[in-house]
Amino acid sequence: EAGVTQFPSHSVIEKGQTVTLRCDPISGHDNLYWYRRVMGKEIKFLLHFVKESKQDESGMPNNRFLAERTGGTYSTLKVQPAELEDSGVYFCASSQDRGHEQFFGPGTRLTVL
Amino acid sequence: KQEVTQIPAALSVPEGENLVLNCSFTDSAIYNLQWFRQDPGKGLTSLLLIQSSQREQTSGRLNASLDKSSGRSTLYIAASQPGDSATYLCAVRPGGGADGLTFGKGTHLIIQP
């Protein structure tokens, strides 16, 4: 069974540009989560989808971040326009049911110059 | 606001030793607690999940305990091996319906051959 996959693995962009990160959860997992870790800090929760619906987006830092999960399969996280402080590693996770074990992808390392 | 602290931040021990990693959390109203390992440049690998009603979970040489009332969990690694070298992360899922995990900063573990 394939794990959670994320694309790209690395992205380097300039301040003010737009970047879109993609996450493919484990097949059959209705719950999809986005997290990020900025340099020197702990991993922080961004938002949670149940199928295509946003269940909790309390961790989204501001309106420059837009997450979607059309059709309830893969998800995208768009940052527009990117700022220097957005640099970090963005992780995606999925779980079969709420409260169950969360399985993480390898992350996307975003560098904003 | 839930806060998770992991002590020590770094640990280096000779191969073969048994060791304990500590995790504490400020709000005891959790749904479950999950331990992960992260290898450099990789994603998070789930090690153990302990439900709030459980006291411990075991997987191979790993044993995780949970004392919810005192806000503490420990991860015990028996007969450590160089392959156990990684960063170990503790994360709690809050009670009350939210699903986003709150992470500690991790313990960076080095097992000396």
Side-chain angles (χ1 to χ4, degrees), chain A residues 31 33 35 37 40-45 48 55-56 89 91 95 97-107 109, chain B residues 1 31-32 34 36 38 41-49 51 87 89 93 97-105:
Chain A
N31 294 270
Y33 311 83
Y35 295 84
R37 174 160 57 199
K41 302 283 185 110
E42 65 273 22
I43 296 171
K44 295 220 167 178
F45 167 75
H48 168 210
Q55 186 68 31
D56 179 358
V89 181
F91 292 102
S95 70
D97 287 306
R98 296 187 63 181
H100 283 211
E101 193 173 8
Q102 293 187 22
F103 296 92
F104 279 69
R109 180 173 296 277
Chain B
K1 179 191 163 192
Y31 187 86
N32 60 39
Q34 201 167 347
F36 298 87
Q38 184 177 24
K42 307 278 183 162
L44 280 64
T45 300
S46 179
L47 298 174
L48 290 163
L49 174 75
Q51 300 294 347
T87 295
L89 296 158
R93 181 194 177 230
D99 244 16
L101 299 177
T102 300
F103 279 83
K105 288 188 175 182

Side-chain angles (χ1 to χ4, degrees), chain B residues 4-86:
Chain B
V4 178
T5 302
Q6 291 189 246
I7 294 173
L11 181 64
S12 180
V13 301
E15 178 179 4
E17 284 201 3
N18 303 324
L19 56 100
V20 175
L21 308 181
N22 297 289
C23 170
S24 62
F25 44 95
T26 54
D27 185 347
S28 62
I30 66 168
Y31 187 86
N32 60 39
L33 182 146
Q34 201 167 347
W35 281 94
F36 298 87
R37 71 174 276 169
Q38 184 177 24
D39 296 280
K42 307 278 183 162
L44 280 64
T45 300
S46 179
L47 298 174
L48 290 163
L49 174 75
I50 311 178
Q51 300 294 347
S52 62
S53 58
Q54 297 176 317
R55 296 285 292 184
E56 64 179 296
Q57 281 283 354
T58 298
S59 175
R61 294 182 294 107
L62 305 180
N63 176 278
S65 69
L66 175 64
D67 184 343
K68 187 181 152 188
S69 60
S70 67
R72 287 189 288 192
S73 176
T74 62
L75 180 67
Y76 175 83
I77 303 176
S80 58
Q81 302 170 358
D84 295 330
S85 298

Side-chain angles (χ1 to χ4, degrees), chain A residues 6-68:
Chain A
Q6 294 186 245
F7 181 83
S9 57
H10 294 85
S11 181
V12 180
I13 61 172
E14 294 195 350
K15 176 183 170 181
Q17 290 187 321
T18 297
V19 63
T20 300
L21 314 181
R22 174 173 169 144
C23 168
D24 286 79
I26 293 171
S27 178
H29 282 194
D30 287 339
N31 294 270
L32 186 149
Y33 311 83
W34 284 99
Y35 295 84
R36 77 171 177 179
R37 174 160 57 199
V38 296
M39 182 76 76
K41 302 283 185 110
E42 65 273 22
I43 296 171
K44 295 220 167 178
F45 167 75
L46 296 179
L47 90 159
H48 168 210
F49 283 100
V50 178
K51 297 186 180 177
E52 67 275 9
S53 299
K54 291 177 186 173
Q55 186 68 31
D56 179 358
E57 49 186 332
S58 61
M60 294 288 265
N62 52 60
N63 59 10
R64 295 185 295 102
F65 290 75
L66 175 63
E68 295 181 320

